[in-house]
Amino acid sequence: MEKSSEKNTSAFTHLSILSQYVIPFGNYIFPIIIWSSYKDKSEFVNHHGKQALNFQLSLLLYTLVLALIAVPIFLTVFLQNLPIEAVFNDEDFFIRNFNLEDSIGLLSVGATAVLLFGFLKFVEFFLVIYASIKASNGELYKYPLTIPFIK
């Protein structure tokens, strides 16, 4: 049976991920600080700290992959429809003949990547809350679709 302080520390490790909405990279900094401080003192806190960090690193990898899909697609479509005379002759840029018909397939893939990113962030919020509840109840929790970077 885990002590109350171990449960609270584990729950706080998961909840510290939400600091990303206030402090840039807080979702990595605070879980690392908490986990590294308590990993040798409690196996329960060690497990939850690893899970929280692995989940964040997995989400970072998924986000990078989605960005590597979406950004080049949107840049390609934009640059294909950019009037060259506006670039070379320093004219005003007007979107008059933006042709979506030739690029609808690419735009669909890019929009899907953006929607998947939004879905990832939405699911992340609720999974973090769920994991913290599990930790505060003294249960071990493993995030779904998490790559075990830290073993």
Side-chain angles (χ1 to χ4, degrees):
M1 184 76 175
E2 281 70 45
K3 293 186 283 187
S4 178
S5 64
E6 292 176 349
K7 293 178 192 178
N8 291 340
T9 303
S10 297
F12 188 66
T13 302
H14 291 291
L15 289 174
S16 68
I17 291 172
L18 299 177
S19 67
Q20 69 183 324
Y21 300 113
V22 179
I23 300 168
F25 303 109
N27 56 330
Y28 303 106
I29 296 168
F30 295 117
I32 287 173
I33 291 171
I34 296 168
W35 174 65
S36 63
S37 299
Y38 291 94
K39 69 179 180 180
D40 297 329
K41 298 175 186 171
S42 167
E43 186 59 37
F44 187 73
V45 175
N46 185 31
H47 170 79
H48 282 281
K50 287 179 184 177
Q51 290 302 313
L53 290 171
N54 283 333
F55 183 59
Q56 288 304 298
L57 292 172
S58 297
L59 286 179
L60 175 65
L61 179 66
Y62 302 149
T63 300
L64 290 174
V65 168
L66 290 173
L68 287 173
I69 293 170
V71 171
I73 287 174
F74 290 129
L75 282 175
T76 302
V77 170
F78 177 75
L79 292 175
Q80 283 176 346
N81 291 290
L82 181 68
I84 298 299
E85 63 271 359
V87 175
F88 291 117
N89 298 332
D90 198 27
E91 295 177 9
D92 291 334
F93 173 67
F94 295 105
I95 300 177
R96 286 185 219 132
N97 299 323
F98 201 75
N99 186 1
L100 292 178
E101 293 174 5
D102 296 338
S103 305
I104 196 70
L106 278 175
L107 288 174
S108 297
V109 173
T112 302
V114 170
L115 288 174
L116 278 174
F117 171 73
F119 181 72
L120 266 177
K121 294 309 280 181
F122 180 76
V123 169
E124 174 194 20
F125 181 79
F126 290 104
L127 284 177
V128 166
I129 301 296
Y130 185 70
S132 65
I133 291 171
K134 289 287 195 180
S136 68
N137 290 335
E139 301 174 36
L140 294 177
Y141 181 73
K142 186 171 191 234
Y143 286 99
L145 300 173
T146 300
I147 302 167
F149 293 107
I150 303 170
K151 295 182 181 191

